[in-house]
Amino acid sequence: MPRQSRGALLSTLQLDANSRAPLYRQLEDAIRRIVIDGELPTGARLPASRQLAEDLGVSRLTVKNAYEQLVTEQFLETRPGAGTFVGRISATELAPAVELSSVPARKSLSLSQRANRISQSRSVLRLGGTKPFRPGVPALDQFPSSIWASTHSKVLRHSGTDNLGYGPPGGLLELKQAIANHVQDHRGVRVDPLQIIITAGAQQAFVLIAFTLLNPGDRVWFEDPGHIAGRDAMHLFGADVKSVQIDNEGFDINQAVASYPDPQLIFLTPSHQHPLGITMSLERRMQIIDYAKSHNCWIVEDDYDSEFRYQGRALPAMQCMDNQGQILYVGSFSKTLFPGLRLGYLIAPPVMVEAFSVAQTLMSQNVSPVLQKTLARFIDDGAYNAHIRKMRSLYSHRLDIMHNSLSKHCNDLFHFTKTDAGMHLVAWLRDRKLSDQPVCESIWDAGIDCLPVSMYCDKASIDQGIMLGFSCAPEHEIENLIMRMDRVVRGLL
Ligand SMILES: Cc1ncc(COP(=O)(O)O)c(C=O)c1O
């Protein structure tokens, strides 16, 4: 006996003539749902197609189509001369329906330890904005979209089907060669293109490193304050992440040695410490490399925005000083082009390349070969360097305007030094009673997208400051935005 009377059944089968889904599809979905939810048990008889069509005010063909599909799926079965019945896979034998939101609470479906660590990484969700003053976001409106589009279309038109497959593990040789030339010219890094793995941004490189090189419980020394998503990736794979303070020469290796046992890996942003902006001294670099040599540990050199230096020449990458193959150099196109491109690279010692390439294939396959090829052409044609040069001069100008506006309007609220690199500066709150998080929340309400320095701290207790991205703020708006921010902060005093 059906648990539902025909009237009740009809009331559940509400069809919407204005829906984009055809009526037979709606009917099919509704009956399937009723069966899955156990409202109609195995063997329950469905109304004859003519009867149901009449009751629902639809054509008989609509009902027949729905029934036929459900018979094919075995939710229903027909018995010649007898009618249509709920099939033997009826949900009366299935477990009762549960609310999806209660799934993690059920013992039999408990989450992994890794999933629990994921839930501690919520702060990364705030990292995706693009409004003015958002730190680290390039001038997206300046991206040469038409050059990119024509390069992309040439790649599609002229390379046949070559790039429509998965592509070679670790990436296209053509792009590796272009990157090898770029890092040699810009960062002094001499590298065989075969040492490069093309990744979906720097973040995938961090994940690959953690996945491939770390056992649960391995120690990682990490900058504090430091790059949240990098730190969380290490934590996610079970590393015991130890926070190391930053002094005026960068990562304080002396504090690390005094506080913690030896690590398996050290994570650094030596050319422009994230988020404080300090350039690591040469002496400190040598000290860390010596330590890594004598203690056999890896160094990750995250060189995320080194193309943007406004005064003097940058120190070459630390990777140039590594003669033991212990530095894993990571670069990104998120700052020089745009973050939505999701392209970056990992330069690894030759013995590690295959492991990283296989790991990448297992995790996510390659980055799109069409995109890789487009980028390779874009670099080889000179468009990449031209764009970097143009952005360097634009950002330097925007930095001047931001710095002058802060000096003019907010000197009594913040102290700040003019950075000579990167895409943001830090304005430190003079009033010790203010905390940077609520200050930023009030500034966000005014349509300005700065970030609190405290967000990047693990254990570090440093002054309260806000990070102001100058690269994505149009020149003519910067002073007004600073004045607006100034009013908001004064209102909090
Ligand atoms: C310190 C640091 N490293 C690397 C990156 C680049 O990450 P991705 O290439 O995954 O966009 C960022 C992005 O904000 C960053 O802040």
Side-chain angles (χ1 to χ4, degrees):
M1 264 293 283
R3 275 185 221 158
Q4 288 211 349
S5 68
R6 190 162 126 230
L9 175 65
L10 287 175
S11 69
T12 335
L13 300 179
Q14 296 289 340
L15 306 185
D16 176 3
N18 297 321
S19 162
R20 283 179 46 209
L23 291 172
Y24 72 91
R25 231 332 150 45
Q26 294 182 44
L27 182 59
E28 187 186 304
D29 291 346
I31 297 174
R32 191 187 296 106
R33 171 66 30 220
I34 291 169
V35 173
I36 288 174
D37 287 349
E39 295 298 318
L40 284 176
T42 298
R45 188 173 190 279
L46 275 96
S49 55
R50 187 189 308 278
Q51 181 64 58
L52 188 57
E54 235 171 64
D55 290 344
L56 293 173
V58 297
S59 79
R60 189 167 169 216
L61 190 63
T62 298
V63 179
K64 284 182 87 172
N65 279 343
Y67 279 9
E68 263 169 39
Q69 177 60 29
L70 292 166
V71 167
T72 311
E73 293 174 11
Q74 299 179 346
F75 280 98
L76 302 182
E77 58 189 35
T78 47
R79 295 182 204 152
T84 306
F85 300 83
V86 175
R88 247 168 298 142
I89 58 158
S90 157
T92 42
E93 282 97 50
L94 300 175
V98 286
E99 275 297 308
L100 283 185
S101 58
S102 70
V103 166
R106 293 182 57 194
K107 260 212 168 114
S108 55
L109 291 175
S110 64
L111 296 178
S112 65
Q113 288 174 2
R114 184 166 297 149
N116 289 328
R117 288 194 287 269
I118 290 174
S119 64
Q120 292 162 23
S121 304
R122 292 265 158 76
S123 49
V124 293
L125 297 178
R126 253 226 72 81
L127 299 178
T130 55
K131 283 202 210 130
F133 293 2
R134 163 60 57 142
V137 173
L140 299 174
D141 58 344
Q142 300 293 314
F143 178 70
S145 302
S146 53
I147 300 179
W148 181 269
S150 89
T151 312
H152 187 257
S153 115
K154 273 188 215 144
V155 165
L156 280 175
R157 273 187 281 128
H158 300 312
S159 51
T161 54
D162 281 0
N163 299 303
L164 302 184
Y166 287 110
L172 293 190
L173 187 56
E174 211 172 322
L175 180 56
K176 294 180 183 195
Q177 184 64 63
I179 290 172
N181 295 339
H182 173 77
V183 291
Q184 175 162 352
D185 295 349
H186 282 258
R187 306 296 297 125
V189 173
R190 275 177 198 281
V191 63
D192 178 339
L194 296 177
Q195 284 176 255
I196 299 177
I197 296 111
I198 310 296
T199 58
Q203 185 60 21
Q204 192 188 44
F206 304 148
V207 169
L208 285 176
I209 290 169
F211 181 70
T212 313
L213 298 180
L214 298 178
N215 288 313
D218 277 353
R219 243 171 321 278
V220 170
W221 289 357
F222 209 97
E223 298 174 333
D224 184 18
H227 181 42
I228 301 172
R231 180 168 56 211
D232 285 359
M234 304 291 145
H235 179 61
L236 191 64
F237 286 92
D240 177 14
V241 182
K242 299 294 187 198
S243 295
V244 178
Q245 71 188 24
I246 306 298
D247 65 11
N248 55 9
E249 289 186 67
F251 180 91
D252 187 351
I253 178 98
N254 301 319
Q255 185 245 320
V257 171
S259 314
Y260 309 121
D262 299 340
Q264 164 80 352
L265 187 150
I266 305 176
F267 187 104
L268 304 171
T269 48
S271 73
H272 187 231
Q273 202 279 330
H274 187 73
L276 300 182
I278 292 156
T279 301
M280 190 184 286
S281 68
L282 184 59
E283 202 183 333
R284 189 60 63 80
R285 291 171 190 229
M286 287 167 57
Q287 199 186 349
I288 297 174
I289 289 179
D290 279 350
Y291 177 89
K293 265 190 208 168
S294 56
H295 292 79
N296 269 329
C297 59
W298 297 101
I299 294 174
V300 174
E301 178 175 18
D302 174 10
D303 211 20
Y304 64 107
D305 69 355
S306 57
E307 283 85 358
F308 297 117
R309 179 156 290 272
Y310 310 108
Q311 256 159 26
R313 275 171 63 86
L315 281 177
M318 266 176 94
Q319 200 266 5
C320 308
M321 299 160 67
D322 173 29
N323 53 13
Q324 305 277 314
Q326 286 176 280
I327 295 192
L328 304 159
Y329 177 94
V330 177
S332 173
F333 292 96
S334 291
K335 310 297 178 192
T336 47
L337 295 176
F338 60 99
L341 184 59
R342 303 314 306 133
L343 280 171
Y345 47 96
L346 165 60
I347 302 182
V351 287
M352 288 304 301
V353 171
E354 188 174 330
F356 285 127
S357 305
V358 173
Q360 183 184 43
T361 306
L362 293 178
M363 276 186 157
S364 59
Q365 280 291 357
N366 285 323
V367 181
S368 151
V370 176
L371 267 191
Q372 290 187 55
K373 181 111 177 176
T374 306
L375 179 55
R377 289 273 167 87
F378 188 81
I379 298 175
D380 290 344
D381 292 350
Y384 184 53
N385 266 335
H387 184 59
I388 292 176
R389 274 198 304 275
K390 191 172 160 204
M391 291 307 101
R392 197 181 290 131
S393 124
L394 180 72
Y395 298 167
S396 166
H397 183 41
R398 289 180 174 184
L399 168 61
D400 282 345
I401 301 177
M402 178 176 275
H403 186 260
N404 293 343
S405 307
L406 280 169
S407 309
K408 186 165 151 196
H409 299 286
C410 325
N411 235 332
D412 57 329
L413 290 181
F414 301 105
H415 62 94
F416 38 85
T417 37
K418 191 169 168 193
T419 177
D420 57 3
M423 301 159 87
H424 73 265
L425 61 74
V426 182
W428 300 99
L429 286 157
R430 287 190 192 274
D431 191 318
R432 304 240 156 214
K433 289 190 289 299
L434 289 177
S435 302
D436 55 16
Q437 175 75 31
V439 169
C440 282
E441 282 167 17
S442 303
I443 299 174
W444 297 337
D445 290 343
I448 298 172
D449 220 356
C450 54
L451 288 174
V453 172
S454 63
M455 177 175 165
Y456 294 83
C457 295
D458 180 34
K459 304 263 176 321
S461 96
I462 57 173
D463 289 348
Q464 300 290 301
I466 58 180
M467 295 163 63
L468 300 168
F470 49 83
S471 45
C472 64
E475 302 80 279
H476 62 277
E477 286 180 20
I478 294 176
E479 184 166 9
N480 281 340
L481 289 164
I482 292 286
M483 285 162 66
R484 195 191 302 167
M485 182 182 88
D486 175 72
R487 282 194 295 277
V488 172
V489 181
R490 270 178 216 290
L492 298 172
L493 291 173

